[in-house]
């Protein structure tokens, strides 16, 4: 089949298969018949879908430029509902006697709009919050109105932190202080005595069970948080001596984030349950079993135990957790505890999409070569041209080696002044024609030599994308995390280019060159050739967890525009929140510049240029207008 036939026969099913959207999209994301990404945010109503390019058109009509972080709040509703209903189903199936009490760890996404939405949506399920710092506790208390929900306090705690939590207990909150280290107990008891408020205490157990992935050190003997078994015994003895063992009501552990293998999850539950049973036998009141985080997101859609995936469904997770608890506790007829999970990633990942436009491309297509070399052409040019003309399937490795040798020799000769700039340019053109010829030929080889396996990556395009990896996708840069990336339109057309994405930070690390693939990782992304005078827009999906929190100000590129929508019963949608991204003045002020003072200083510089007859007064006015508009402008690429 020739290229024209392939282009004509390309369908949305081919795009769905190429980008795996139906696997990682778990029903939320798909492709319309017209080739656009559509969002189906309601699990209980698959008939309501919204078109992503149409939403973008509405965003732009309201005056917001790319890049934009789009939040679809209905997906957040659906994820919280799905989690609670899955646990409720498992509880009924196994006749479990406790309840499920989910909490959202604020550290996963501390944005006010996110916490506000979660506490509003979660009220019907008594979904609570987890605070790991004083600031997070203060934020939690301002939004968590449901006294049936749990408020779990992890992390280091000083006097102010503890006092605030104790008063929260007095106000009726289920506010648990989780001991991360033994010394915290003394301060909690001291402040409890001083204020006359009995605390709700939990202990974090230091698991010996460890899981694979980026966050394996969250558990194990050398983990920095948690108490050993001997330290837990010391806590019990101290509380017994003070007749406060009834205050110990929660056991907490944390296996890690993004646990991809269900066997690791089950093993950790079994180990921690033995500790829970031991605490009950020691006389502690107990009643709450906090599994921490770990519920993974299937970022690549492979449904495997690869670190960017998971080999279980939410229903399997709930069933395995409950079954494992009952296996241990039923032996000693210990009452089933209320289950708490701190599943932040799985709660918020799906509902945020980073959208950005491509503003330029750089291709390595072979450039035209002269039909004959001019008389007097240096021998090095003739040699590399001969490599190109003699290349075939049988000598492909030899020609590749010769091309590298002559290219490097030409560069050295140029440094020594032995060939001209134009002659070096011709060598480079011939070299890339050879590499393209090698790339075309290796497609016909049954066995590709090791040296030639990366040719397709060397030839892929660079698409310059209007965003900052460091600001909006820090995990992609810092730990090599994989997010689904794809065009959000033109999906009824065959993408003909292989590309990596470069951001606008002027940093060699500011790129995405690892993409999801059924066999692991793809080093280039199939994309369409951008059309003149038409935006080509990509989306990075499942970015709701950690990315906003961890973003930085590399190149002074601040927060993007943020738009939140809700879908109406008739399939229309409403813009419920719009947050204008940082201006240039905003990000400068974050690093202690004063935009007003900067303007005064630059105005003085411009006036001096007028006095020196370098510019006219009218030009000074134009320059100052541009400067001031620049301060008010968006830090990202604007047309």
């Amino acid at each position: 089949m020739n290229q024209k036939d392939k282009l004509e026969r390309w369908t949305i099913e081919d795009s769905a298969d190429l980008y795996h959207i139906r696997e990682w999209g778990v029903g939320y994301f798909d492709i319309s018949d017209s080739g656009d990404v559509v969002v189906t945010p309601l699990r209980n109503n698959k008939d309501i879908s919204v078109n992503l390019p149409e939403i973008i058109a509405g965003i732009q009509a309201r005056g917001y430029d790319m890049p934009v972080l789009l939040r679809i709040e209905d997906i957040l509703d659906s994820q919280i509902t799905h989690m609670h209903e899955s646990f409720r189903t498992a509880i009924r199936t196994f006749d479990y006697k406790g309840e499920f009490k989910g909490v959202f760890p604020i550290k996963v996404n501390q944005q006010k709009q996110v916490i506000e939405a979660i506490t509003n949506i979660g009220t019907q399920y008594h979904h609570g919050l987890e605070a790991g710092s004083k600031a997070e506790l203060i934020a939690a208390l301002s939004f968590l109105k449901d006294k049936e929900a749990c408020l779990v306090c992890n992390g280091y705690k000083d006097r102010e932190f503890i006092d605030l939590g104790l008063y929260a207990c007095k106000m009726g909150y289920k506010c648990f202080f989780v001991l991360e280290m033994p010394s915290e107990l003394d301060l909690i008891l001291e402040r409890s005595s001083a204020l006359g408020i009995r605390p709700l205490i939990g202990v974090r157990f230091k698991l010996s069970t460890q899981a694979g992935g980026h966050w394996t050190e969250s558990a194990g003997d050398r983990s920095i948080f948690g108490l050993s078994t001997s330290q837990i015994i010391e806590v019990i003895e101290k509380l017994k001596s003070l007749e406060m063992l009834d205050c110990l009501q929660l056991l907490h552990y944390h296996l890690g984030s993004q646990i991809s293998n269900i066997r690791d999850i089950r093993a950790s539950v079994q180990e921690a349950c033995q500790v829970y049973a031991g605490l009950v036998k020691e006389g502690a009141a107990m009643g709450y079993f906090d599994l921490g985080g770990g519920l993974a997101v299937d970022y690549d859609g492979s449904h495997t135990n690869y670190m960017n995936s998971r080999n279980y469904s939410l229903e399997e997770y709930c069933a395995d957790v409950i079954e494992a608890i009952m296996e241990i506790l039923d032996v000693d007829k210990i009452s089933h505890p209320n289950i708490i999970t701190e599943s932040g990633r799985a709660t918020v990942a799906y509902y945020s999409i980073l959208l950005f436009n491509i503003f330029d491309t750089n291709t390595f297509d072979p450039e035209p070569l002269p039909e004959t070399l001019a008389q007097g052409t240096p021998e090095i040019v003739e040699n590399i041209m001969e490599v190109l003309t003699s290349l075939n399937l049988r000598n492909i490795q030899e020609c590749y080696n010769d091309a590298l040798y002559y290219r490097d020799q030409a560069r050295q000769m140029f440094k020594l002044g032995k060939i001209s700039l134009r002659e070096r340019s011709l060598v480079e053109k011939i070299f890339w024609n050879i590499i393209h010829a090698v790339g075309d030929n290796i497609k016909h080889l049954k066995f590709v030599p090791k040296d030639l396996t990366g040719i397709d990556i060397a030839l892929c395009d660079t698409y310059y994308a209007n965003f900052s990896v460091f600001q909006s996708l820090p995990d992609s840069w810092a730990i090599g995390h994989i997010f689904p990336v794809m065009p959000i339109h033109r999906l009824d057309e065959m993408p003909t280019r292989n590309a990596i994405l470069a951001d606008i930070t002027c940093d060699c690390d500011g790129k995405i060159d690892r993409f999801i693939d059924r066999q692991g990782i793809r080093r280039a992304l199939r994309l369409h050739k951008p059309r003149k005078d038409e935006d080509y827009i990509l989306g990075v999906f499942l970015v709701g967890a950690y990315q906003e929190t961890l973003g930085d100000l590399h190149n002074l590129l601040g927060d993007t525009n943020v738009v939140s929508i809700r879908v109406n019963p008739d399939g229309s949608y409403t813009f419920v929140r719009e947050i204008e991204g940082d201006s240039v003045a905003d990000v400068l002020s974050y690093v202690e510049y004063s935009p007003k003072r900067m303007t005064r200083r630059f105005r003085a510089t411009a006036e001096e240029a007028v006095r020196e007859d370098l510019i006219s007064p009218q030009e000074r006015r134009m320059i100052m207008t541009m400067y001031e508009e620049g301060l008010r402008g968006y830090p990202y690429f604007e047309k």
Side-chain angles (χ1 to χ4, degrees):
M1 185 185 297
N2 61 37
Q3 184 73 2
K4 182 179 178 182
D5 290 337
K6 289 181 180 178
L7 287 169
E8 290 177 349
R9 295 187 184 186
W10 189 266
T11 68
I12 61 169
E13 297 301 322
D14 296 313
S15 286
D17 185 61
L18 175 64
Y19 299 112
H20 318 304
I21 186 172
R22 290 172 185 155
E23 287 76 24
W24 55 257
V26 295
Y28 290 133
F29 304 102
D30 206 336
I31 302 173
S32 70
D33 292 339
S34 59
D36 296 332
V37 171
V38 292
V39 184
T40 306
L42 305 177
R43 282 184 172 270
N44 60 355
N45 194 339
K46 298 298 184 182
D47 295 329
I48 297 179
S49 296
V50 291
N51 183 288
L52 209 47
E54 287 181 10
I55 295 172
I56 292 171
I59 291 171
Q60 293 174 326
R62 287 164 173 79
Y64 295 100
D65 292 326
M66 297 287 114
V68 169
L69 185 72
L70 174 64
R71 296 177 180 148
I72 303 168
E73 291 193 358
D74 306 86
I75 292 181
L76 192 55
D77 294 21
S78 294
Q79 282 298 98
I80 291 175
T81 298
H82 186 37
M83 187 179 303
H84 282 270
E85 292 300 332
S86 296
F87 262 109
R88 287 182 177 185
T89 298
I91 285 169
R92 288 193 298 269
T93 300
F94 290 95
D95 195 24
Y96 189 82
K97 303 305 181 184
E99 297 179 351
F100 172 64
K101 299 277 190 177
V103 302
F104 177 74
I106 296 177
K107 68 180 180 182
V108 176
N109 194 323
Q110 298 131 329
Q111 301 297 317
K112 175 253 185 184
Q113 293 76 19
V114 177
I115 303 306
E116 184 177 31
I118 287 173
T119 51
N120 288 338
I121 296 162
T123 299
Q124 61 180 314
Y125 293 110
H126 307 303
H127 200 87
L129 296 172
E130 182 269 339
S133 69
K134 192 188 309 179
E136 289 184 354
L137 177 58
I138 289 171
L141 290 173
S142 71
F143 284 101
L144 191 63
K145 304 302 181 186
D146 180 11
K147 301 298 176 62
E148 291 298 312
C150 293
L151 177 54
V152 178
C153 297
N154 293 325
Y156 297 111
K157 306 166 192 70
D158 61 11
R159 173 174 171 166
E160 286 185 358
F161 190 130
I162 292 168
D163 284 0
L164 189 57
L166 286 169
Y167 279 122
C169 289
K170 192 169 185 178
M171 293 167 62
Y173 285 96
K174 285 186 172 65
C175 182
F176 293 94
F177 294 108
V178 177
L179 303 180
E180 303 278 5
M181 50 189 180
S183 61
E184 287 184 334
L185 180 60
D186 291 334
L187 185 56
I188 291 171
L189 295 176
E190 175 196 322
R191 298 312 304 158
S192 170
S193 176
L195 298 178
I197 304 171
R198 290 180 74 80
L200 296 175
I201 297 175
V203 291
R204 176 169 175 171
F205 171 56
K206 193 176 288 190
L207 286 171
S208 62
T209 303
Q210 286 187 283
H214 292 303
W215 297 275
T216 183
E217 294 183 0
S218 294
D221 292 336
R222 295 298 298 169
S223 61
I224 60 174
F225 292 112
L227 278 60
S228 65
T229 51
S230 61
Q231 289 170 331
I232 289 176
I233 295 299
E234 291 173 7
V235 169
I236 292 171
E237 292 300 326
K238 179 165 287 190
L239 291 175
K240 276 184 179 179
S241 69
L242 297 172
E243 298 183 351
M244 294 181 68
L245 197 53
D246 62 304
C247 295
L248 180 55
Q249 297 187 20
L250 179 145
L251 177 69
H252 170 56
Y253 72 88
H254 184 61
L255 182 62
S257 182
Q258 185 64 17
I259 306 303
S260 60
N261 196 332
I262 191 65
R263 290 198 301 176
D264 294 330
I265 291 171
R266 188 166 186 128
S268 66
V269 173
Q270 290 171 332
E271 181 183 1
C273 259
Q274 295 290 0
V275 177
Y276 184 93
L279 290 170
V280 172
K281 293 174 184 178
E282 289 287 340
M286 303 310 290
Y288 292 87
F289 185 49
D290 185 347
L291 284 64
L295 177 59
V297 169
D298 195 356
Y299 288 96
D300 64 14
S302 65
H303 203 65
T304 64
N305 61 358
Y306 179 66
M307 68 176 64
N308 292 302
S309 183
R310 69 182 190 193
N311 64 1
Y312 55 91
S313 66
L314 178 56
E315 290 78 9
E316 290 172 307
Y317 172 84
C318 297
D320 273 33
V321 165
I322 287 175
E323 190 176 33
I325 293 173
M326 294 177 70
E327 280 180 359
I328 303 298
L329 300 188
D330 285 358
V331 172
D332 294 312
K333 296 182 171 55
I334 294 173
S335 298
H336 299 160
N338 295 316
I339 298 169
I340 297 175
T341 65
E342 301 176 7
S343 302
R345 182 186 297 274
T347 302
V348 296
Y350 288 95
Y351 103 118
S352 293
I353 309 166
L354 177 67
L355 300 165
F356 54 85
N357 56 305
I358 300 299
F359 64 88
D360 203 357
T361 63
N362 184 31
T363 66
F364 284 89
D365 291 338
E367 297 183 58
L369 298 175
E371 293 183 6
T372 58
L373 296 178
Q375 189 173 1
T377 296
E379 184 180 3
I380 187 72
V381 181
E382 293 179 345
N383 289 342
I384 196 168
M385 179 63 88
E386 185 178 344
V387 173
L388 175 60
T389 56
S390 64
L391 190 149
N392 58 57
L393 276 175
R394 293 186 176 184
N395 66 3
I396 189 171
Q397 177 76 67
E398 179 186 353
C399 287
Y400 174 74
N401 295 339
D402 288 345
L404 289 174
Y405 171 77
Y406 289 130
R407 191 271 312 267
D408 293 344
Q409 190 178 44
R411 289 177 174 177
Q412 186 62 30
M413 293 174 68
F414 178 75
K415 291 178 185 178
L416 299 174
K418 295 183 178 179
I419 62 173
S420 69
L421 180 63
R422 288 185 179 273
E423 289 162 346
R424 173 176 169 171
S425 173
L426 181 54
V427 169
E428 300 279 356
K429 287 181 181 180
I430 298 169
F431 173 79
W432 284 111
N433 272 266
I434 293 171
I435 299 302
H436 272 279
V438 171
D440 290 338
N441 276 275
I442 61 174
K443 297 173 185 176
H444 305 292
L445 296 178
K446 290 184 178 180
F447 172 76
V448 178
K450 183 179 179 181
D451 291 345
L452 306 183
T453 54
I455 290 291
D456 56 336
I457 305 304
L459 296 175
C460 72
D461 302 340
T462 300
Y463 275 45
Y464 296 98
N466 190 16
F467 79 107
S468 163
V469 166
F470 306 96
Q471 170 58 234
S472 296
L473 298 173
D475 275 349
S476 175
W477 160 70
I479 58 175
H481 190 69
I482 307 294
F483 295 95
V485 186
M486 65 179 292
I488 57 94
H489 56 156
R490 296 179 60 184
L491 296 168
D492 54 348
E493 304 172 29
M494 181 179 179
T496 58
R497 311 299 301 185
N498 281 323
I500 64 169
L501 302 177
D503 71 3
I504 62 174
T505 58
C506 302
D507 192 302
C508 61
D509 283 344
K511 63 183 178 181
I512 304 178
D513 58 359
R514 300 168 78 250
F515 305 93
I516 63 172
D517 185 73
R518 293 188 193 282
Q519 282 73 46
I521 294 175
R522 185 189 298 270
R523 297 309 303 268
L525 182 67
R526 290 270 298 279
L527 295 173
H528 307 87
K529 186 175 181 180
R531 295 170 180 156
K532 188 177 181 181
D533 300 324
E534 179 182 311
D535 267 346
Y536 187 54
I537 297 178
L538 306 187
V540 185
F541 295 78
L542 316 190
V543 300
Y546 295 103
Q547 303 319 296
E548 294 172 76
T549 296
L550 298 176
D552 66 22
L553 288 175
H554 197 293
N555 273 136
L556 296 183
L557 294 167
D559 287 338
T560 66
N561 295 318
V562 180
V563 173
S564 299
I565 67 165
R566 273 197 169 276
V567 179
N568 302 317
D570 62 356
S572 62
Y573 49 89
T574 302
F575 286 77
V576 293
R577 291 182 179 85
E578 301 168 26
I579 305 171
E580 191 171 352
D582 288 332
S583 67
V584 172
D586 290 332
V587 293
L588 286 169
S589 66
Y590 297 156
V591 286
E592 300 183 6
Y593 290 92
S594 169
K596 287 184 178 180
R597 292 177 184 172
M598 294 170 68
T599 301
R600 287 198 299 267
R601 291 173 62 179
F602 185 67
R603 185 179 291 114
T605 300
E607 183 59 28
E608 185 176 345
V610 172
R611 290 197 302 269
E612 295 174 353
D613 288 331
L614 298 174
I615 61 174
S616 69
Q618 291 80 8
E619 288 174 320
R620 195 202 87 152
R621 183 178 65 186
M622 293 173 56
I623 291 169
M624 290 308 304
T625 298
M626 291 173 58
Y627 187 84
E628 290 166 359
E629 287 178 350
L631 283 170
R632 292 189 295 269
Y634 202 25
Y636 294 92
F637 182 83
E638 296 180 284
K639 292 184 179 179

